[in-house]
């Protein structure tokens, strides 16, 4: 059996994916080839052909992707920040939009020594592990209430610790529990959360409807049933000057900031858009002072 030119294999894969309605057929085709070859996508320009065996395996993966199996389930991996985590059935796949929430959180931590960070509704723990990778001095806790997600999170945390990153403690807990993380009350510098936030009646793509855990996607009729508890919990956990960032549905550009503004503990409430200009996450600061240093003063007193 002879090798196949890579350009022809990619063209065939792209056509199959496009006909199936996959949103980014060329990108997905290239990522699948890169996965099979064990190289970065950017290195594909150096590859002229693939073996017949690889071409056959590519067709199998393309067929699965055309059936709307998530790309990350086929590669077994998803990236956030500078870390890559394992994902698969039973855990929510991190989305590129969450990079912006991560960037906001890391900016808040600038100038703070040994910050304490909590990632609520952690899923695969990608967000918590990205923080630990970027801030080796941080104390990071990752929390979820789903046993299957926790297995993925603990596996990923162990892998990153073996790679030399600061260990992240993964905890079983529910944001509706008024005593969750009671020992950290008033001690946390940053609370991050990518909770379930899709209103129950919202149509979603097949990748979400058929493969993401429903409890990690949907959150009651208005999509805010979990966010409301996160707001209350963040108000308790944060130290003065600390910050919270909560990802939300693109219909929540006013609702989530209103929930934050309704709490007297918060100030500097604002909403942020994603790269497509859609409302994506809301942030707030805890009233008070963050301590000594150039960023010590926050809104209020």
């Amino acid at each position: 059996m002879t090798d196949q030119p890579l350009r022809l294999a990619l063209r065939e894969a792209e056509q199959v994916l496009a006909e199936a309605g996959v949103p980014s057929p060329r990108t997905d085709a290239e990522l699948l080839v890169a996965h099979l070859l064990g190289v970065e996508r950017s290195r594909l320009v150096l590859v002229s052909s693939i073996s017949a065996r690889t071409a056959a395996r590519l067709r199998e993966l393309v067929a699965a992707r055309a059936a709307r199996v998530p790309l990350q389930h086929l590669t077994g991996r998803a990236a956030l920040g500078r870390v890559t985590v394992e994902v698969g059935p039973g855990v929510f796949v991190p989305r590129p939009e969450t990079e912006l929430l991560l960037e906001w959180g890391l900016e808040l931590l600038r100038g703070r020594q040994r910050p304490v960070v909590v990632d609520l509704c952690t899923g695969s723990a990608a967000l918590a592990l990205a923080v630990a990778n970027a801030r080796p001095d941080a104390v990071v806790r990752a929390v979820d209430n789903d046993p299957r997600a926790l297995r993925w999170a603990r596996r990923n945390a162990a892998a990153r610790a073996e790679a030399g990153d600061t260990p992240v403690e993964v905890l079983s807990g529910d944001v509706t529990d008024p005593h969750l993380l009671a020992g950290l009350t008033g001690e946390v510098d940053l609370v991050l959360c990518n909770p379930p936030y899709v209103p129950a009646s919202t149509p979603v793509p097949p990748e979400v409807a058929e493969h993401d855990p429903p409890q990690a996607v949907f959150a009651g009729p208005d999509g805010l049933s979990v966010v409301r508890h996160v707001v209350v919990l963040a108000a308790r956990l944060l130290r003065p000057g600390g910050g919270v960032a909560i990802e939300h549905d693109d219909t929540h550009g006013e609702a989530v900031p209103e929930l934050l503004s309704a709490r007297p503990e918060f100030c500097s409430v604002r909403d942020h858009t994603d790269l497509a200009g859609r409302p994506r996450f809301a942030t707030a600061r805890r009233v008070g002072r963050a301590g000594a240093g150039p960023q010590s003063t926050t809104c209020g007193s």
Side-chain angles (χ1 to χ4, degrees):
M1 300 178 70
T2 60
D3 291 354
Q4 180 177 2
L6 177 59
R7 62 183 178 82
L8 295 181
L10 284 172
R11 184 185 305 168
E12 175 187 321
E14 181 182 6
Q15 181 177 351
V16 171
L17 295 177
E19 290 175 353
V22 172
S24 52
R26 181 68 182 192
T27 297
D28 284 22
E30 291 179 354
L31 289 170
L32 288 173
V33 172
H35 166 65
L36 288 173
L37 297 178
V39 301
E40 295 294 328
R41 180 185 172 201
S42 60
R43 306 287 292 178
L44 290 180
V45 294
L46 303 177
V47 180
S48 60
S49 63
I50 58 176
S51 69
R53 184 175 183 178
T54 299
R57 180 61 181 141
L58 175 61
R59 285 191 288 272
E60 292 176 359
L61 292 180
V62 167
R65 183 69 188 100
R68 309 305 289 270
V69 176
L71 174 71
Q72 297 86 349
H73 283 200
L74 298 174
T75 64
R77 301 171 74 77
L80 187 67
R82 296 196 303 246
V83 306
T84 300
V85 297
E86 295 185 12
V87 294
V91 71
F92 183 80
V93 174
R95 305 304 202 254
E97 294 86 353
T98 305
E99 295 269 1
L100 299 174
L101 184 147
L102 170 64
E103 291 172 5
W104 184 90
L106 293 176
E107 179 62 26
L108 178 88
L109 296 180
R110 286 183 61 187
R112 302 184 186 220
Q113 302 301 312
R114 289 192 57 77
V116 178
V117 180
V118 171
D119 175 27
L120 300 171
C121 307
T122 195
S124 66
L127 190 52
L129 294 169
V131 172
N133 175 270
R135 287 298 304 265
D137 63 324
V139 178
V140 185
R141 303 283 186 270
V143 182
D144 207 290
N145 67 347
D146 183 80
R148 296 182 72 187
L150 285 167
R151 286 195 288 272
W152 285 103
R154 289 179 174 129
R155 181 190 307 174
N156 288 323
R160 294 305 311 175
E162 289 177 5
D165 284 356
T166 300
V168 168
E169 184 176 3
V170 178
L171 303 170
S172 176
D174 194 310
V175 297
T176 66
D177 178 2
H179 305 295
L180 179 65
L181 301 173
L184 292 180
T185 297
E187 301 294 330
V188 177
D189 293 278
L190 174 64
V191 172
L192 299 174
C193 187
N194 182 9
Y197 55 65
V198 178
S201 61
T202 304
V204 294
E207 290 87 343
V208 176
E210 298 171 16
H211 298 281
D212 274 328
Q215 69 272 16
V217 176
F218 300 102
D222 62 359
L224 296 171
S225 61
V226 177
V227 171
R228 291 187 179 93
H229 290 284
V230 171
V231 169
V232 173
L233 180 56
R236 172 169 63 80
L237 292 177
L238 288 173
R239 68 172 73 245
V244 57
I246 305 171
E247 191 164 321
H248 59 65
D249 190 69
D250 56 16
T251 63
H252 292 155
E254 295 182 2
V256 176
E258 287 174 357
L259 289 173
L260 290 164
S261 297
R263 302 285 309 192
E265 299 94 336
F266 290 129
C267 57
S268 295
V269 176
R270 64 170 293 210
D271 202 66
H272 306 255
T273 57
D274 59 22
L275 296 178
R278 297 168 299 195
R280 184 50 57 201
F281 69 100
T283 61
R285 302 285 293 271
R286 182 71 160 79
V287 172
R289 294 178 63 86
Q295 295 184 322
S296 61
T297 304
T298 68
C299 49
S301 58

